[in-house]
Amino acid sequence: MKTPAEFYMRDRSIHPPAYAPAYKTSVARSPNQALISLENTVSEITGPRFGHGDIAEGDNDLLTNYAAAGESAIGERIILHGRVLDENAKPVRNTLVEVWQANAGGRYRHKKDTYLAPMDPNFGGCGRTLTDDEGYYFFRTVKPGAYPWPNQVNNWRPAHVHFSVFGTAFAQRLITQCYFEGDPLIPICPIVQTIPDPAAIDRLTARLDMNATIPFDAIAYRFDIVLRGRRSTLFENRLEGN
Amino acid sequence: MANPLDYLKETASQTAGPYVHIGLVPSDTGIEIYDHELGRDITGPNATGERIRVEGRVLDGNGAALKDVLIEVWQANAEGVYAHPENSGTVEDGFRGWGRVIADFDSGEWSFETVKPGGVPGRSGSRQAPHINLWIVARGINIGLNTRLYFDDEGTANAADPVLGRVDPPHRRDTLIATRDDSGAMPVYRFDIRLQGDGETVFFDI
Ligand SMILES: [Fe+2]
């Protein structure tokens, strides 16, 4: 009988390094010392689990979850959907997916965001959901606007949605950002370009998905997420010892 | 050509950015959408064991406290059991062992209340000293940083802990050990995390 064992070693070559000087804030916030490699123990192969009691109906609808009754957020209406899989291509079920984003003008509902684009009174900017048995999730929202940020004097973030995903173990915890196919700001964004591997950037880019588009309602974009996968072993699982 | 392996590649990390609070702790930014927020209560009402407070700052390479940092906490209960189906044993009803903590927007100080965890099994029959697993994200952190908090009143268990034992040179182990203060009503463990430079905290590739 095969039993699940350690997670595959994280392939750091597809992730941004801690120190990425073109993204200036990383310079003083990046460790100098090498990370110490840890073989998984029970502390890493466990992690928080979530259920339907943790979320409410409508949390995944950013068009309406902050809007006044009968109102809706302003902007290009989209469905952002996909699957959460692991490196073995198995669905990650019942896992919490959280998103946050700027409004259609590129403005966040946050006291530290002083960009002159206006707030949308009907848009809060966050949503959450659980994946289903196929690892599938979806959100309804507006396509976020590009926005300027202080790095060099004239840097603009491509349109993006921030994603937070759990999996089943603390070793799988991931925060990332999803971009949109065809955005000319992607190749010139210092944050995107902290990722050294162009194929890894391409996998962060949601694709226009006409098959999931709802006519006269919302354009769909597809974004699949892959979390770390696990070995299975033919031998006794000794992670917890005797 | 050889047949390609059919593994998928992990999705790349990106920084949580300056507005992580909107997504993960929205009511802290005044956004009231959810009927309840996740990660506010680590232990639930029925947890046994010693109630403690953990406090600290996350400091950058210039010694400045991060005011926009978010930390996730993952720990076992006082008996050393994680609330997870792969861990043998049971936890108290309502105990999750998971929490979210943000720094104060003005001072950068953060704190959380919990119960002191028990020791947990290590690999190959070893025993790990009581510890709290931490995951740190913020603007300027490109991939979440994993570290562990150990307790300075667990000297014997710490000395035998296989993870602390991997840290070389040994003096860097001290960066993982919180210091206890019993002067108040509740025991407080102080744990400052230094991202870079002198006294840099040990971070793990888990
Ligand atoms: Fe953003």
Side-chain angles (χ1 to χ4, degrees), chain A residues 100-102 108 147 157 160 162 177, chain B residues 16-19:
Chain A
W100 67 101
Q101 64 168 87
Y108 283 95
Y147 61 82
R157 295 301 324 280
H160 62 277
H162 298 263
Q177 302 181 29
Chain B
Y19 307 123

Side-chain angles (χ1 to χ4, degrees), chain A residues 75-114:
Chain A
E76 183 181 337
R77 297 163 63 86
I78 66 168
I79 290 165
L80 186 54
H81 74 142
R83 293 176 78 199
V84 181
L85 304 169
D86 69 14
E87 289 170 292
N88 297 316
K90 291 210 182 88
V92 183
R93 303 184 169 100
N94 256 350
T95 198
L96 182 68
V97 180
E98 297 162 292
V99 296
W100 67 101
Q101 64 168 87
N103 69 21
R107 176 82 182 269
Y108 283 95
R109 185 172 291 281
H110 195 286
K111 68 176 182 180
K112 285 187 68 184
D113 189 351
T114 56

